[in-house]
Amino acid sequence: MNATDQSRTPSRGRSTPAPAGGLSRQKSAMWQRLFRRFDGRSATLQAQIRDMLTNAILDGVIGPEHALPSSRALASALGVSRVTVTLALQHLCDAGLLAARARSGYYVNPDRPAASLGPPAPVDGGDAPPPQWHARLVLAPSAQRNIFKPPDWQSLPYPFIYGQFDATLFPVAAWRECAQESLHVGAIRGWAPDHIDRDHEPLIDQIQQRLLPARGIWAKRDEILVTAGAQQATFMLATLLVDADTAVGIEDPGYPDARNNFALRSRRIVPLPVDADGLVVDAALARCRYVYVTPSHQCPTTVTMPLTRRQQLLEAAQVHDVVLVEDDHESELNHAGRPTAALKSLDSAGRVIYLGSLSKTLAHGLRLGYVVAPAALIAELRALRRLIMRHPPTNNEHTAARFIAHGHHESYMRRLNAAYRERARTLRESLQRHAPTLRCTEAHGGSALWVAAGSRVDTRVLAERARERGIVIEPGDVFFASEKPPRHYMRLGYSSIPVDRIDAGVRELARLL
């Protein structure tokens, strides 16, 4: 293997080298331990060595004027080629962290950039007290009730968690191909400049010509705005349209993040009941100026609003002068036939603001969504977005646009539906077999089941005990608007758990019940 090949070889599986010539056994072991801390974090060994040395310098493991081992000794200690080490050392010299001295070697640069010099010395403030931040806050978002997802869920064997990425299903090769296309010179010239308040035109093309028509929606270009996910869209709509006295209707149970966004602006949040057909159209609707609704797969029950209910909702909105905010939640994830037409596609009076998302189906960390609304509202949303972030990262937009244009997105949706259909069936059968007292809401799509336990079961307590056994479930009380919500509901997601672990996970959960 030549030196170039070695610099690109993954570090996993290397045997531990013998102590390096010129380094004591203790020093050699130190560098090996430092190196292992960065194992797998970087794409190449060269980058891994750079990261190791940079952190060793910033953490004070090797101080100013400290001499590094020779490239030969360091390469021997780490079990990599000398060329790989030399290139890494040269890179750090170029960055100003190291200094090369003729016939002497590499030293930590005493004049390295200020960012690497550690925290500043504390300043004596005398008797003046520090700012009292709680007294200065005009909002306290941290006090709101939010969905909790344990950060270590990927390491647990039974993650019945909702809305998380499954690497085993993601089309890595197709996404990599599109990402590489975004690195061509012509592509970089298109997405790299500051777009100020404009969107990346190729992504608007794909949204307008491919994604929206699939939902029965035809929109002009000035009626579409790209956002950092549907969550940002909801925040901006609340900022523009809602004040303290604006009545906003939210499904109950419903999506906590949407409820919290509107609650930051308004003290008049109106809980609206949900049944087996989704949002109930009743007298409470007439009290609202805006209503947030998830008709494709209601959050969290996952039920789909039928066509007749959608028409009733639109008629009521017209009669009572209500504007509907449609979050087209997981509309592509349909396990039983074609998806129902979007509420927006039935709207002839301009009363529906449509929120779409690539994050919920493609990759949750992508944070790309879009709003479809009348041009006058989009213009104001665009101006507000400019104040917040100008526009989402256009390199991500370019990659996503190519992904859709090449047909990968449509193919991926078919694959997801097949996988989720199998997982949903397995989960239902396992619950029936091991926990027959649990009641699942009937649904034909999405990526989770809404489950009711016995009235004496507290799913918050259950979730804590389940996590001790490697099971992640989501307690359902956070979805209810009441300050004293029912505690016997839970959401069991199946987007992130392999199908062959579902039955064992349900069996363990049943033992706790």
Side-chain angles (χ1 to χ4, degrees):
M1 181 182 290
N2 60 36
T4 303
D5 290 336
Q6 283 187 330
S7 69
R8 296 179 180 176
T9 302
S11 56
R12 296 178 181 84
R14 287 192 308 269
S15 59
T16 304
L23 281 181
S24 68
R25 185 179 297 273
Q26 182 180 8
K27 286 287 187 181
S28 179
M30 179 195 80
W31 286 110
Q32 291 167 23
R33 285 195 299 272
L34 284 173
F35 195 45
R36 281 196 296 272
R37 286 174 52 192
F38 297 89
D39 189 17
R41 296 189 190 179
S42 303
T44 65
L45 293 179
Q46 186 190 136
Q48 191 175 324
I49 294 168
R50 292 201 307 263
D51 292 345
M52 173 195 71
L53 292 172
T54 299
N55 279 266
I57 293 170
L58 299 184
D59 292 346
V61 176
I62 45 179
E65 297 283 2
H66 187 98
L68 267 68
S70 69
S71 58
R72 186 185 301 278
L74 192 55
S76 178
L78 302 181
V80 301
S81 78
R82 185 180 179 187
V83 171
T84 300
V85 172
T86 301
L87 290 173
L89 294 173
Q90 186 56 52
H91 178 92
L92 295 180
C93 283
D94 295 340
L97 290 175
L98 297 179
R101 298 179 185 175
R103 299 180 182 176
S104 182
Y106 292 95
Y107 291 77
V108 176
N109 187 355
D111 300 321
R112 60 192 184 277
S116 67
L117 296 180
V123 177
D124 184 6
D127 296 328
Q132 301 301 306
W133 292 111
H134 286 290
R136 292 170 178 256
L137 293 173
V138 296
L139 294 172
S142 64
Q144 294 180 317
R145 291 186 298 130
N146 289 289
I147 301 169
F148 171 74
K149 298 184 188 294
D152 63 343
W153 68 266
Q154 287 180 300
S155 66
L156 301 177
Y158 308 117
F160 293 104
I161 191 169
Y162 172 82
Q164 291 298 325
F165 175 73
D166 187 345
T168 65
L169 296 177
F170 188 73
V172 175
W175 185 260
R176 183 186 292 122
E177 170 198 336
C178 297
Q180 288 172 342
E181 289 181 22
S182 74
L183 299 178
H184 294 167
V185 173
I188 292 173
R189 287 174 178 168
W191 62 253
D194 184 357
H195 285 53
I196 311 299
D197 64 355
R198 293 179 294 110
D199 288 306
H200 188 58
E201 292 297 327
L203 183 56
I204 294 294
D205 290 341
Q206 297 305 315
I207 293 171
Q208 183 192 35
Q209 299 166 17
R210 300 281 288 275
L211 300 186
L212 292 178
R215 301 295 296 126
I217 300 170
W218 279 263
K220 298 177 182 178
R221 302 179 73 81
D222 61 358
E223 295 175 335
I224 304 170
L225 181 79
V226 178
T227 63
Q231 191 65 31
Q232 187 195 30
T234 308
F235 177 85
M236 292 197 299
L237 288 170
T239 302
L240 285 182
L241 302 176
V242 176
D243 63 22
D245 294 318
T246 304
V248 180
I250 300 286
E251 298 163 315
D252 189 34
Y255 184 34
D257 287 357
R259 184 180 67 231
N260 288 341
N261 261 322
F262 289 116
L264 286 178
R265 300 288 172 181
S266 173
R267 55 174 174 257
R268 296 180 60 195
I269 301 300
V270 182
L272 301 175
V274 171
D275 65 12
D277 288 336
L279 178 68
V280 174
V281 180
D282 62 10
L285 194 78
R287 310 202 319 262
C288 304
R289 187 166 177 80
Y290 300 96
V291 169
Y292 175 91
V293 60
T294 54
S296 287
H297 295 296
Q298 199 275 331
C299 176
T301 67
T302 71
V303 300
T304 298
M305 183 182 291
L307 185 59
T308 53
R309 177 72 64 86
R310 295 178 190 231
Q311 292 169 335
Q312 291 172 6
L313 179 58
L314 288 169
E315 290 169 5
Q318 179 79 5
V319 169
H320 300 296
D321 191 22
V322 176
V323 169
L324 305 173
V325 179
E326 176 187 17
D327 188 340
D328 203 16
H329 190 65
E330 295 186 328
S331 61
E332 302 97 334
L333 301 181
N334 190 284
H335 307 165
R338 295 179 61 82
T340 307
L343 197 63
K344 178 69 174 175
S345 72
L346 307 173
D347 174 31
S348 59
R351 292 199 166 272
V352 178
I353 299 170
Y354 180 89
L355 309 185
S357 175
L358 290 171
S359 304
K360 285 186 175 69
T361 49
L362 181 54
H364 297 83
L366 186 61
R367 308 314 308 150
L368 277 180
Y370 47 94
V371 185
V372 181
L377 178 56
I378 290 294
E380 296 302 327
L381 287 168
R382 189 180 303 280
L384 178 60
R385 187 190 66 179
R386 176 179 177 171
L387 296 177
I388 298 171
M389 61 181 301
R390 291 187 178 256
H391 53 76
T394 43
N395 58 332
N396 287 347
E397 292 188 43
H398 186 281
T399 302
R402 302 310 302 157
F403 191 83
I404 299 168
H406 291 325
H408 298 315
H409 182 262
E410 187 175 347
S411 175
Y412 182 41
M413 290 305 101
R414 287 196 298 269
R415 184 181 177 191
L416 271 188
N417 269 303
Y420 287 179
R421 188 180 301 114
E422 181 185 13
R423 293 180 185 186
R425 183 181 65 251
T426 302
L427 180 54
R428 286 185 182 279
E429 291 173 352
S430 297
L431 287 170
Q432 199 168 35
R433 183 183 309 114
H434 302 299
T437 60
L438 298 180
R439 293 179 291 106
C440 300
T441 299
E442 187 66 26
H444 302 287
S447 59
L449 295 183
W450 182 243
V451 179
S455 59
R456 291 185 298 174
V457 175
D458 186 330
T459 56
R460 284 207 169 272
V461 176
L462 178 64
E464 292 176 6
R465 293 180 59 197
R467 190 175 171 187
E468 294 172 359
R469 298 197 185 186
I471 309 167
V472 181
I473 64 171
E474 294 191 350
D477 59 297
V478 71
F479 296 97
F480 292 89
S482 169
E483 292 185 2
K484 293 185 177 180
R487 302 286 288 264
H488 63 287
Y489 288 96
M490 58 183 160
R491 182 165 66 174
L492 298 181
Y494 47 79
S495 62
S496 302
I497 182 168
V499 69
D500 58 1
R501 291 191 198 168
I502 290 176
D503 191 71
V506 171
R507 187 169 60 247
E508 285 295 315
L509 184 63
R511 288 172 180 164
L512 290 175
L513 285 165

